[in-house]
Amino acid sequence: MKVRFAPSPTGNVHIGNMRVAIFNWLFARHHGGEFILRIEDTDLERSTAEAIDKMKSAMHWLGLNYDGEPLYQTARRPAHAAAVQKMLAAGVAYQRDAQSPVVLRIGKELFAPNFVGEPRDAATIDYQNGVLTANSTTIFHTVISPKSGEEFITPVNWDTLTAPRFLLADGEEIDALPTREKCGAATVPLAEILAGKIVALKFRRRYVFFDDLVLGRCEKPLDSIRDFAMARSDGSPIFHLANVADDIFQGVTHILRGNDHVENTFRHLFLFQALGATPPIYGHFPMIVNQSGKPYSKRDGDAYVGDFQTQGFLPDALFNFLALCGWAPGDDREIMTRAEMVKAFSLDRVSKAAAQFDRAKLNWMNQQYLMKLPDGDFIAALKGEAAKNGFATELHDDNWWQVLAATQRERLEKIGDFIPRCRYFFAGDFAFDQKAVRKNLQNNTGLRVLADLAEIFRTLPEWEIAPLAAAVHLYAEKNPDAPLSLNLVAQPLRVACTGAAVSPGIGETLFLLGREEVIKRIERALKEQS
């Protein structure tokens, strides 16, 4: 069993694309198969080296290891050109002139019973308006918009119609096949051949079908599938040809991709037939959508893998979250290891419905992963975030970092929250929360508390968490206006030292700031509020 992730890197990596890669990876690892990477870089203007590096970097960060070396589609251009020539020689493709693309003909030569069904439904195409023309391969229905004057042409291949009959304006119904025989290579008006207007086409409808591992039976009317371009006039392959030719070359057994590719799959079945290969098994995943049910995009918030990496989300948390976007293990588990996900993964547990992106759930999930990080890894992550924001991490010893980490272990949803929450531990140039100032410092009690505590702190023998917390409690019990509530003592001190009414425990906060900085900040607050 072999699956592939085949991105066309043109910029930042969308989480929807990476979720497809995760599902493929889980499927391969669950079944002991191969997970390969193919870089579909035929769009030379957009598939830059930078875009490809971003894709590979995102996969590496998320731990999506692939088997073997990646295949770059541009390296297969000679093989793609050979495939085009093969189809032209077999008469299943055509090119009108040297400036035109090479087109796959949806004709009876490609109708195989494993994907084209027998005639089933009675169908009618209304031709009351417009003009009908035809040649020996195609009927063209041309309608001109009365508003814009724009011309719309709808082709139908003769071969896709079973037992076709024309309904004429005078009510007569005739077999259409003799009319086809009268049409030559040139396109001619059908009214001239029949000496009368055609108002409808009746036929027995056949369907193109495939059995999808997620969606179940998918089918589409054969007569609605048009000839399509597969190579440009210069011979370079269009997505459809390169995609199918390389799946054949690489021996891909299962194609698992987003359900925005369902329409492509109907076309690709004919390409596999034209190239003499059996189509793989398909599975199409639901899209990730926003709160309104529309495809999730950058307009809705962070949408690229790099966004979440920059904000300090953990790769295991994002992997876990994306794996559960459209798939469930069959029980109430949400936090799962890679091994647990590999063991539980099954395509019959993938939902057919779109998966709504839930940022609150991602934040919660990342917080759970942060709380489980080993102390050393958690501290290393905090140091990295501090350094990224320009703060020197070597100014503090291991014990200081361990205390700080303990205060944040259960508070942070992501590492990117660390500096916004704790910047005052690294720099004293913070702005005061004016609401907290009015409540805690703009009164005689608050200012007196600060002045008294400054004197106590200058002579406190031990600058450690327990003695600091005890000193604050003792002052609250025995100050000149005793007893004061702890809140009336700790809150003015907290606001003076951090600028806000919320911080870790007062003992930890004072210890982390250090004696000199605490006294300096108290004096600043007294000066500004006096």
Side-chain angles (χ1 to χ4, degrees):
M1 186 273 288
K2 181 184 289 189
V3 297
R4 46 70 161 176
F5 178 48
S8 302
T10 57
N12 293 313
V13 185
H14 193 276
I15 54 171
N17 291 337
M18 200 50 61
R19 195 276 307 264
V20 168
I22 287 172
F23 279 7
N24 273 275
W25 186 89
L26 288 171
F27 183 78
R29 298 298 177 248
H30 176 85
H31 291 283
E34 291 183 69
F35 171 69
I36 60 175
L37 173 64
R38 183 168 74 233
I39 305 295
E40 300 201 334
D41 57 345
T42 56
D43 186 342
L44 299 178
E45 291 185 5
R46 301 179 65 205
S47 293
T48 62
E50 180 184 8
I52 293 170
D53 286 345
K54 283 184 178 180
M55 172 62 69
K56 294 171 73 173
S57 176
M59 292 183 69
H60 176 74
W61 182 67
L62 284 169
L64 286 167
N65 59 309
Y66 44 86
D67 300 303
E69 293 299 315
L71 174 70
Y72 289 83
Q73 206 163 57
T74 47
R76 293 256 307 145
R77 186 161 175 172
H80 300 149
V84 170
Q85 292 305 313
K86 175 182 177 181
M87 287 183 281
L88 285 170
V92 296
Y94 61 91
Q95 185 176 23
R96 298 192 186 281
D97 54 57
Q99 285 71 48
S100 300
V102 179
V103 177
L104 185 74
R105 188 192 308 280
I106 306 299
K108 60 185 178 182
E109 298 86 358
L110 300 182
F111 299 169
N114 60 322
F115 67 91
V116 177
E118 291 299 315
R120 194 174 79 198
D121 302 335
T124 300
I125 301 175
D126 185 1
Y127 288 145
Q128 292 277 1
N129 301 314
V131 175
L132 279 184
T133 57
N135 55 39
S136 60
T137 61
T138 311
I139 301 172
F140 301 96
H141 181 213
T142 303
V143 177
I144 298 176
S145 169
K147 291 185 178 180
S148 65
E150 188 175 356
E151 187 176 77
F152 295 93
I153 301 175
T154 304
V156 175
N157 287 11
W158 281 105
D159 283 355
T160 65
L161 307 171
T162 300
R165 299 183 67 80
F166 286 134
L167 177 63
L168 304 183
D170 60 7
E172 183 182 4
E173 189 174 300
I174 63 171
D175 183 357
L177 291 181
T179 304
R180 177 185 185 179
E181 294 174 3
K182 296 176 184 178
C183 296
T187 302
V188 296
L190 286 178
E192 292 183 4
I193 296 177
L194 296 174
K197 180 174 174 56
I198 299 171
V199 296
L201 171 66
K202 297 182 176 182
F203 60 99
R204 300 291 295 178
R205 175 163 281 156
R206 304 173 75 180
Y207 290 85
V208 181
F209 66 90
F210 63 93
D211 292 311
D212 191 279
L213 292 172
V214 177
L215 303 177
R217 173 60 65 97
C218 296
E219 59 181 20
K220 183 181 178 68
L222 175 61
D223 54 282
S224 70
I225 299 180
R226 319 296 182 209
D227 297 353
F228 60 91
M230 55 182 178
R232 302 175 184 87
S233 59
D234 64 0
S236 61
I238 290 172
F239 160 76
H240 303 294
L241 171 62
N243 186 269
V244 170
D246 291 345
D247 282 331
I248 295 170
F249 171 72
Q250 293 188 283
V252 173
T253 62
H254 296 70
I255 295 178
L256 310 176
R257 56 189 180 185
N259 61 14
D260 54 325
H261 280 286
V262 168
E263 285 299 311
N264 286 332
T265 297
F266 287 115
R267 295 189 181 101
H268 292 181
L269 293 170
F270 292 98
L271 264 173
F272 278 105
Q273 183 69 15
L275 292 171
T278 301
I281 299 169
Y282 284 95
H284 291 87
F285 305 131
M287 299 186 73
I288 298 177
V289 299
N290 61 17
Q291 298 293 321
S292 302
K294 296 181 179 179
Y296 189 83
S297 71
K298 188 65 177 176
R299 292 187 298 273
D300 302 304
D302 299 308
Y304 304 128
V305 173
D307 295 335
F308 296 97
Q309 184 176 3
T310 299
Q311 288 186 35
F313 283 89
L314 297 178
D316 284 345
L318 184 60
F319 185 106
N320 192 162
F321 173 78
L322 290 176
L324 294 179
C325 279
W327 170 74
D331 49 40
D332 59 358
R333 285 179 294 171
E334 290 190 306
I335 304 298
M336 302 175 68
T337 65
R338 300 285 175 106
E340 289 170 337
M341 284 183 271
V342 166
K343 183 178 180 180
F345 191 79
S346 159
L347 289 178
D348 60 11
R349 301 290 312 172
V350 174
S351 172
K352 297 179 183 180
Q356 192 173 86
F357 186 86
D358 186 343
R359 179 59 181 257
K361 182 175 180 179
L362 172 59
N363 289 345
W364 169 82
M365 188 171 284
N366 196 70
Q367 186 176 44
Q368 305 309 302
Y369 274 88
L370 279 176
M371 288 192 292
K372 293 180 179 179
L373 269 188
D375 287 345
D377 292 345
F378 185 63
I379 291 172
L382 297 184
K383 286 183 175 181
E385 193 67 16
K388 188 172 75 174
N389 283 271
F391 298 117
T393 60
E394 68 276 5
L395 298 179
H396 304 288
D397 61 19
D398 290 346
N399 180 58
W400 187 91
W401 278 103
Q402 288 169 4
V403 172
L404 178 58
T407 70
Q408 300 305 307
R409 172 68 83 167
E410 297 185 4
R411 288 182 168 90
L412 296 181
E413 289 186 331
K414 54 186 182 297
I415 293 297
D417 295 337
F418 172 53
I419 292 302
R421 289 178 61 94
C422 296
R423 190 178 186 280
Y424 53 79
F425 285 129
F426 299 92
D429 57 348
F430 52 80
F432 284 98
D433 178 343
Q434 292 304 310
K435 182 179 179 180
V437 168
R438 288 192 296 272
K439 183 176 180 180
N440 297 286
L441 298 186
Q442 292 182 346
N443 57 72
N444 291 333
T445 300
L447 295 177
R448 181 172 55 77
V449 163
L450 289 181
D452 291 346
L453 287 174
E455 293 306 313
I456 292 172
F457 292 152
R458 283 189 174 92
T459 58
L460 192 69
E462 291 184 273
W463 197 265
E464 298 292 341
I465 296 171
L468 284 163
V472 174
H473 280 76
L474 183 64
Y475 175 77
E477 294 172 3
K478 297 185 177 182
N479 77 88
D481 297 324
L484 283 176
S485 70
L486 181 61
N487 191 55
L488 289 177
V489 175
Q491 282 304 89
L493 182 57
R494 181 173 278 112
V495 173
C497 289
T498 70
V502 178
S503 79
I506 195 63
E508 288 85 353
T509 299
L510 295 172
F511 168 78
L512 291 166
L513 288 171
R515 188 193 308 266
E516 182 179 341
E517 189 65 22
V518 167
I519 294 171
K520 178 181 176 181
R521 293 185 185 189
I522 290 175
E523 289 176 344
R524 172 194 172 190
L526 288 170
K527 181 179 179 181
E528 292 185 6
Q529 301 305 320
S530 297

